[in-house]
Amino acid sequence: MPSFDIVSKVDPQTLENAVNTAKKELQTRYDLRDTKGGIELDKKANTIQLSSENSMRVKSLEDILLTRIVKQGLDGTCLDFSEEEQASGALVKKTVKVRAGIDKDTSRKIGKLIKDSKLKVDVQTQDEQVRVASKKIDELQQVMALLRGADLGIPLQFVNMKS
């Protein structure tokens, strides 16, 4: 029976390249040239640490990072900017989480969205991915089109297509 998996992943090498190009831009920008702090990637915790003297410069760092992420071909929704800024000494720090995997709430939303479309497909949630199976490949392609048009707040990739 044809099937595919819905996942939400970020390529670590592409993310590292985006952070490195953002660091280079930080060094060359005139308005941010003498800034203390910067951008640091923590691969193990899957976070990016932004730090600068004031919150306005932290916002500039966010814009630089987001621009570089999009230029590298990653989806901008993979970054979670919702965490508040924290003052630590002379610097303002902000931790940006990199979203990876589909959480339970989002997988329920995906399942409900597919079931509401009345397509004859089977939906299974497996850890941090969702498997969709059907007798017809056309229905699977309709599910892909449906999910591409839906705004779920995370980037989705369709992998492991079997026919």
Side-chain angles (χ1 to χ4, degrees), residues 32-59:
L32 300 172
R33 184 170 296 163
D34 296 327
T35 303
K36 292 182 176 72
I39 302 172
E40 295 299 322
L41 174 66
D42 185 3
K43 294 179 187 176
K44 291 183 181 176
N46 218 11
T47 60
I48 301 170
Q49 183 78 29
L50 306 174
S51 59
S52 188
E53 287 97 10
N54 55 35
S55 60
M56 186 183 77
R57 287 192 174 167
V58 171
K59 292 286 185 198

Side-chain angles (χ1 to χ4, degrees), residues 76-125:
T77 58
C78 70
L79 298 179
D80 184 12
F81 290 107
S82 64
E83 193 168 315
E84 292 295 317
E85 300 171 353
Q86 305 152 357
S88 72
L91 295 178
V92 176
K93 293 184 178 181
K94 183 169 188 174
T95 304
V96 179
K97 294 180 184 174
V98 180
R99 295 181 183 144
I102 300 175
D103 60 344
K104 298 233 183 258
D105 292 335
T106 308
S107 63
R108 282 190 208 114
K109 285 180 190 176
I110 291 171
K112 186 176 183 321
L113 191 66
I114 293 171
K115 291 200 191 291
D116 289 346
S117 69
K118 305 240 192 273
L119 292 170
K120 293 181 181 179
V121 294
D122 182 33
V123 180
Q124 299 173 344
T125 302

